[in-house]
Amino acid sequence: MNLASLAAMAFCALLMLGGCASDGGYCPSTLTNPYPSPAAMQGLPPEDVRLGEHLTWGGILIDARHLASTTELDISARPLDAACQVRNDVMALGRFRVRYPGYFETADLIPGQPLRVSGRLAAMETRSSTGERIPVVTEATLHGLARASAARVDQNAVYRPRIGISIGAGSGWSGGGIGISF
């Protein structure tokens, strides 16, 4: 094998390995967020808030609602561990809001569901009910979505046996069976 063939094979192997490692966005736990948490942002003066910065936060979904021209998700912030999983064993680090333009399907979202959010800091808004400033993230990607229908089935599952009886016949054969499934 000549050197050019060996180099081409090594290059192809590197391309394949790079493709395998990619999940549409690598685990951002090693990235430095411009702000450590939504709670830390509340104390910043408005001139120190850098809008447009990309950030990644973890949290627990509190609420999802459809408004006239947007869909909003309110999330209770939690830190991410080294594997980019939301840590439920720590206290909340404030709240943040994810805003999607238009309609965003929320059928697969369950309050209490852990999510990792990557997006851009678009604004700091004041909540009218509490007066607290809350960061708003747009251009967001949600990681960790679970199908709501499957989660609801698991939480409220009633397992009972199903019994089926069948009889069949064909050219030169006949038979029957009883099946039990849970």
Side-chain angles (χ1 to χ4, degrees):
M1 214 182 265
N2 64 19
L3 187 58
S5 297
L6 190 58
M9 285 178 27
F11 180 71
C12 288
L14 284 174
L15 284 177
M16 287 190 294
L17 287 174
C20 293
S22 175
D23 65 349
Y26 59 97
C27 179
S29 66
T30 57
L31 294 179
T32 303
N33 278 333
Y35 307 108
S37 71
M41 291 185 61
Q42 290 178 349
L44 291 176
E47 62 271 7
D48 288 346
V49 176
R50 297 186 317 248
L51 299 180
E53 292 283 346
H54 185 271
L55 49 80
T56 299
W57 282 329
I60 305 296
L61 179 67
I62 298 170
D63 185 32
R65 64 191 162 280
H66 299 285
L67 303 174
S69 61
T70 61
T71 301
E72 292 182 344
L73 310 177
D74 283 342
I75 298 177
S76 175
R78 300 289 199 288
L80 298 171
D81 65 14
C84 287
Q85 300 298 313
V86 176
R87 291 190 52 197
N88 292 327
D89 60 337
V90 296
M91 298 291 292
L93 302 172
R95 289 183 178 205
F96 64 98
R97 180 169 290 152
V98 177
R99 183 172 292 144
Y100 290 97
Y103 180 82
F104 178 80
E105 181 58 63
T106 59
D108 288 341
L109 299 176
I110 306 164
Q113 177 178 5
L115 296 171
R116 186 178 83 225
V117 177
S118 295
R120 300 223 175 264
L121 179 63
M124 288 292 291
E125 294 181 353
T126 302
R127 293 178 56 195
S128 58
S129 61
T130 63
E132 144 187 57
R133 290 177 42 193
I134 183 169
V136 177
V137 178
T138 60
E139 301 175 33
T141 302
L142 299 179
H143 305 274
L145 291 176
R147 291 186 43 138
S149 57
R152 286 190 188 111
V153 169
D154 289 345
Q155 291 172 355
N156 301 318
V158 177
Y159 297 103
R160 47 183 94 118
R162 291 182 201 93
I163 300 174
I165 300 173
S166 66
I167 299 173
S171 174
W173 65 272
S174 64
I178 299 175
I180 300 174
S181 64
F182 295 90

